[in-house]
Amino acid sequence: MRLVIARCSVDYAGRLTAHLPLAVRLIMVKADGCVAIHADGGAYKPLNWMNAPNTVEELEDRWVVSSPKGETLTILIEEVLHDSAHELGVDPGLQKDGVEAHLQELLAANPTTIAEGLSLVRREYPTAIGPVDLLCRDADGSAVAVEVKRRGEIDGVEQLTRYLDRLNLDPLLRPVRGIYVAQVIKPQARTLATDRGIGCVEIDYDELRGIESDELRLF
Amino acid sequence: MRLVIARCSVDYAGRLTAHLPLAVRLIMVKADGCVAIHADGGAYKPLNWMNAPNTVEELEDRWVVSSPKGETLTILIEEVLHDSAHELGVDPGLQKDGVEAHLQELLAANPTTIAEGLSLVRREYPTAIGPVDLLCRDADGSAVAVEVKRRGEIDGVEQLTRYLDRLNLDPLLRPVRGIYVAQVIKPQARTLATDRGIGCVEIDYDELRGIESDELRLF
DNA sequence: GTGTATATCTCGGGG
DNA sequence: CCCCGAGGTATACAC
């Protein structure tokens, strides 16, 4: 990884055009060739960047970064204040816990935490327009489509609605009702869901994880 | 901005929990206090980060970054390979061109490029669930709601549908038809739009900009 | 490769 | 402050 602190102006032309006036910034070049221009603030997102693959042409007063898609990033360098290179090696990568996939796993293993008497048919039940998170049957044997989100916003209701429309075309499943499950469900999403006859369930991730641990402890 | 290259392991606990095994990485600390852990690849996104505002506690063998929301980032440092600090100053910021806002401006100025006889009522026409990009009237005086996107995907159709439902409750506007305008409209989006009686128009950004320049040239 | 859904999304605007 | 929408979204995953 190469780190350059320089007084520079930057122009990007590609999916849009963008210009950065002259200022002191960090130019980060990673081993895979990607380039990022950072200011001294504004979260982790760089002001401007170029993803790999690309070619970096280093001229006297400017760097020209070009991608095969026809994008270009031109860095006019007026003054270099720091320039260093470092060997980092390959990163073993990030281990995550607590994202939607894990929430879905926990719910699949414990469908009764969503609603009394619910049993799982399958996870990622396929339809022509995409997979339904959980397809279940309730105590009466009726089909229930469950959409899982970490945060329950309006687009999840739209998503579940599209799936329900599709599933209700299948005579073997019909009638299918929907349940929207999330750690928090926003008021707009709840209103829309209720209007459409979709149930809303808020679940506690830590509590669910607790149930899971308890079950494991029995063995 | 402080740049540290170090052999370290990292743990984040907050919106999720995440762990990074021991490896050499860049630790970037910006003037506003935000911290980002970068590997030598993987585009511009850091492996792990903590946004401002936060407090950084620098101990003998570890840094503990805590946010007021209760998130923590713990960096266990085994070996420091580089450590430098740099004054960057305030950045003048990015100037953009070619995004949806500009597309919307151009269309607002030239509504007939969307459909023959169309005239603008107003941009960002407010409804209870959000603003409609363009509200127009056609040659017959009927209301037309226009949703503008750079890329026409399925969520834009959902958005326009919600607006149309809402607008059609207004006796002064009713009946309102919809037109979905984008540089490219994906097949799925076109199908859904057509099913719902929504028109689809693909427009050429460069051509539209050309029309605009021609008009300016007349003055 | 296209299409779909997620993200510690980030970022900005409006009420 | 939250809500909502856009993004050069990027990224993963299924078909």
Side-chain angles (χ1 to χ4, degrees), chain B residues 98-121:
Chain B
V99 288
E100 192 203 290
H102 195 212
L103 195 56
Q104 199 195 99
E105 274 172 46
L106 290 173
L107 290 167
N110 305 280
T112 54
T113 56
I114 302 168
E116 190 101 21
L118 222 58
S119 63
L120 184 71
V121 174

Side-chain angles (χ1 to χ4, degrees), chain A:
Chain A
M1 181 182 293
R2 184 166 168 200
L3 301 171
V4 178
I5 306 277
R7 182 179 306 280
C8 61
S9 63
V10 184
D11 281 281
Y12 165 77
R15 282 174 276 187
L16 56 66
T17 60
H19 174 72
L20 281 172
L22 194 65
V24 178
R25 303 189 175 93
L26 166 68
I27 306 168
M28 178 165 54
V29 184
K30 292 189 177 181
D32 60 2
C34 71
V35 179
I37 317 285
H38 279 270
D40 207 353
Y44 70 69
K45 200 180 178 185
L47 294 162
N48 233 325
W49 69 93
M50 192 76 125
N51 288 340
N54 61 44
T55 56
V56 182
E57 199 184 348
E58 208 171 325
L59 305 173
E60 188 69 25
D61 65 333
R62 71 188 61 199
W63 294 9
V64 180
V65 188
S66 314
S67 86
K69 288 178 210 154
E71 297 167 292
T72 59
L73 187 74
T74 307
I75 309 168
L76 265 149
I77 297 180
E78 196 166 272
E79 186 188 0
V80 176
L81 303 166
H82 171 99
D83 190 344
S84 63
H86 312 270
E87 266 316 312
L88 266 60
V90 178
D91 201 278
L94 188 66
Q95 296 153 20
K96 287 185 192 183
D97 173 38
V99 289
E100 192 204 290
H102 196 212
L103 194 56
Q104 196 195 103
E105 274 173 46
L106 290 173
L107 290 168
N110 305 281
T112 55
T113 57
I114 302 169
E116 191 100 23
L118 224 56
S119 63
L120 184 71
V121 176
R122 74 163 282 189
R123 278 177 63 190
E124 302 288 345
Y125 183 91
T127 77
I129 52 165
V132 181
D133 284 344
L134 304 178
L135 189 70
C136 300
R137 294 227 176 244
D138 63 17
D140 307 329
S142 302
V144 180
V146 177
E147 175 65 32
V148 181
K149 282 265 183 286
R150 213 161 50 79
R151 288 180 314 171
E153 303 188 3
I154 210 160
D155 56 339
V157 182
E158 300 287 15
Q159 205 178 324
L160 181 51
T161 304
R162 289 199 298 273
Y163 293 147
L164 287 170
D165 288 348
R166 182 55 65 161
L167 294 171
N168 275 308
L169 296 175
D170 185 341
L172 294 177
L173 290 174
R174 197 165 57 198
V176 187
R177 66 187 170 94
I179 301 181
Y180 193 35
V181 181
Q183 288 177 275
V184 214
I185 296 178
K186 298 281 175 80
Q188 272 90 346
R190 185 182 292 273
T191 305
L192 186 63
T194 308
D195 278 2
R196 295 184 179 171
I198 292 168
C200 286
V201 177
E202 288 187 344
I203 50 96
D204 186 296
Y205 180 70
D206 292 325
E207 200 176 293
L208 198 57
R209 203 153 44 171
I211 292 166
E212 188 76 355
S213 325
D214 289 349
E215 282 177 3
L216 288 171
R217 214 172 299 138
L218 294 175
F219 295 99

Side-chain angles (χ1 to χ4, degrees), chain B residues 22-214:
Chain B
L22 193 65
V24 179
R25 303 188 177 94
L26 165 67
I27 306 167
M28 178 165 56
V29 185
K30 292 188 179 182
D32 60 1
C34 69
V35 179
I37 317 288
H38 280 270
D40 209 354
Y44 66 70
K45 198 180 178 183
L47 294 162
N48 233 325
W49 68 91
M50 191 79 125
N51 288 341
N54 61 44
T55 57
V56 182
E57 199 184 350
E58 207 171 327
L59 305 173
E60 189 69 24
D61 65 332
R62 72 186 64 198
W63 294 9
V64 180
V65 188
S66 315
S67 86
K69 289 179 209 157
E71 298 167 291
T72 59
L73 187 74
T74 308
I75 309 168
L76 267 151
I77 296 179
E78 196 165 272
E79 185 189 4
V80 176
L81 303 166
H82 171 98
D83 190 343
S84 63
H86 312 269
E87 266 317 312
L88 266 59
V90 178
D91 202 278
L94 188 67
Q95 296 153 19
K96 285 187 188 181
D97 173 39
V99 288
E100 192 203 290
H102 195 212
L103 195 56
Q104 199 195 99
E105 274 172 46
L106 290 173
L107 290 167
N110 305 280
T112 54
T113 56
I114 302 168
E116 190 101 21
L118 222 58
S119 63
L120 184 71
V121 174
R122 74 164 283 186
R123 281 175 61 188
E124 301 289 347
Y125 184 90
T127 77
I129 53 165
V132 181
D133 285 343
L134 304 178
L135 189 70
C136 300
R137 294 230 177 239
D138 64 16
D140 306 329
S142 302
V144 180
V146 178
E147 176 65 32
V148 181
K149 283 265 183 285
R150 215 162 48 78
R151 289 177 314 174
E153 304 191 0
I154 212 158
D155 57 338
V157 182
E158 301 287 16
Q159 204 177 327
L160 181 51
T161 303
R162 288 199 298 274
Y163 291 145
L164 286 169
D165 289 347
R166 182 54 63 158
L167 293 171
N168 275 307
L169 297 175
D170 185 341
L172 295 177
L173 289 174
R174 197 165 56 199
V176 186
R177 66 188 171 93
I179 302 182
Y180 192 36
V181 180
Q183 288 178 274
V184 217
I185 296 178
K186 298 282 178 78
Q188 274 87 348
R190 185 181 292 273
T191 304
L192 186 62
T194 307
D195 278 1
R196 294 183 180 173
I198 291 169
C200 287
V201 176
E202 288 187 344
I203 50 97
D204 186 298
Y205 180 67
D206 293 323
E207 201 177 293
L208 197 58
R209 206 153 40 174
I211 292 166
E212 188 77 351
S213 326
D214 290 349

